[in-house]
Amino acid sequence: MRRLVKRAIDLLSAAAGLAFAAPAMGAAAAAILLCDGPPVFWTQDRTGLHGRIFRLWKFRTMSEARDGSGRLLDDAARLTGVGTILRAWSLDELPQFWNVLRGDMSLVGPRPLLSAYLPRYTASQRRRLDVRPGITGWCQVNGRNALDWDAKFTLDIWYVENWSLWLDLRILARTLPAVFRRRGISQTGHATMPEFMGSARER
C-alpha cells in the first residue's frame, strides 16, 4: 500500500511539476538554442528499478568539443556557459518529471547511474536497485557530488533500508534549501563525478 501511495504522489507531483516548471523549461530550451544550438535535450541509458535500463532525459549542458585526435574533452572542459547556470540551479533535471510520469523514476530515491556501472556493483550496492531511482534523494541532501562513491552508496543503501513516506517528505523539504545553497554540484575537475570503477571493499 505504501508503494501505491508513493506512486500516486509521484504521478500527481510530476504532472504538477511539469505544468509549474513549463515557463522555466521554455526559457532554458530557448537559452540552449540561442547560445549553443540544438539539440536542447540530452539523453542517456541509466539503470532503474531491479536493474531495468531506461532513457534518462535532461537539458543539454555540454558541448561535443574534441581534441586534435577527435576524442571528447573532459566533462569539465565541455560544460557550456548556459549549462553551468542550469546545473548550478539543478534546472537541467526538470525534464526528468517526464521520466517520473513514465514510471522510470520517482521524485525521491537514489540517483540513477550509468548502465555500464551495473556489473561493478557489490552485492550490497545492488540493493539501491530495489527502489525506483529519484530526481532527489538522501544522498542529494547530504553532500551530493562532494561525497566519494563509497559514501554515496552508503547513503543510498541506508535510504533503501529505512524508506518511508515520512522520510521522502523530509528529503523533499530539504531539497530546495540544498539547491539554493548550490553545494556539492561537482568534484574538482569534473562536471559532476569521476567515473565509478568499482568499490575497493565489499560491504
Side-chain angles (χ1 to χ4, degrees):
M1 178 59 72
R2 291 186 309 160
R3 295 186 183 276
L4 289 176
V5 173
K6 180 179 173 72
R7 182 61 187 146
I9 293 172
D10 282 341
L11 286 171
L12 292 172
S13 300
L18 283 172
F20 180 78
M25 293 177 69
I32 294 169
L33 283 174
L34 288 173
C35 297
D36 304 319
V40 168
F41 296 105
W42 174 85
T43 64
Q44 188 177 57
D45 285 346
R46 297 291 177 97
T47 308
L49 180 66
H50 305 317
R52 185 176 68 85
I53 306 302
F54 71 95
R55 181 68 68 171
L56 179 84
W57 287 77
K58 297 179 72 171
F59 281 121
R60 183 171 66 88
T61 58
M62 291 193 291
S63 72
E64 291 294 309
R66 299 173 184 268
D67 62 19
S69 301
R71 292 173 298 188
L72 284 172
L73 299 178
D74 292 340
D75 286 356
R78 294 189 292 121
L79 190 62
T80 66
V82 172
T84 299
I85 296 171
L86 294 180
R87 289 195 179 206
W89 296 101
S90 297
L91 297 175
D92 59 315
E93 311 281 357
L94 291 177
Q96 288 165 47
F97 281 129
W98 172 244
N99 286 117
V100 175
L101 282 177
R102 283 174 43 87
D104 302 322
M105 296 175 62
S106 175
L107 289 180
V108 181
R111 285 294 295 162
L113 299 180
L114 294 173
S115 55
Y117 293 175
L118 189 57
R120 305 174 190 174
Y121 293 161
T122 65
S124 178
Q125 289 166 351
R126 288 184 66 91
R127 295 195 62 193
R128 72 192 308 280
L129 304 177
D130 291 345
V131 297
R132 281 190 177 91
I135 294 178
T136 186
W138 189 236
C139 182
Q140 278 60 53
V141 299
N142 283 286
R144 202 174 176 182
N145 291 324
L147 304 171
D148 63 25
W149 280 112
D150 282 336
K152 289 165 76 78
F153 277 113
T154 296
L155 289 171
D156 286 343
I157 295 165
W158 185 92
Y159 172 82
V160 172
E161 293 175 344
N162 294 275
W163 174 77
S164 69
L165 294 173
W166 172 241
L167 177 58
D168 279 2
L169 289 175
R170 286 175 57 198
I171 292 170
L172 288 171
R174 291 176 57 180
T175 295
L176 278 181
V179 169
F180 285 120
R181 284 196 299 269
R182 292 187 288 174
R183 295 175 183 170
I185 296 171
S186 63
Q187 290 195 6
T188 303
H190 299 274
T192 50
M193 288 281 293
E195 182 179 355
F196 174 65
M197 301 304 298
S199 194
R201 64 179 185 275
E202 171 71 56
R203 292 183 180 80

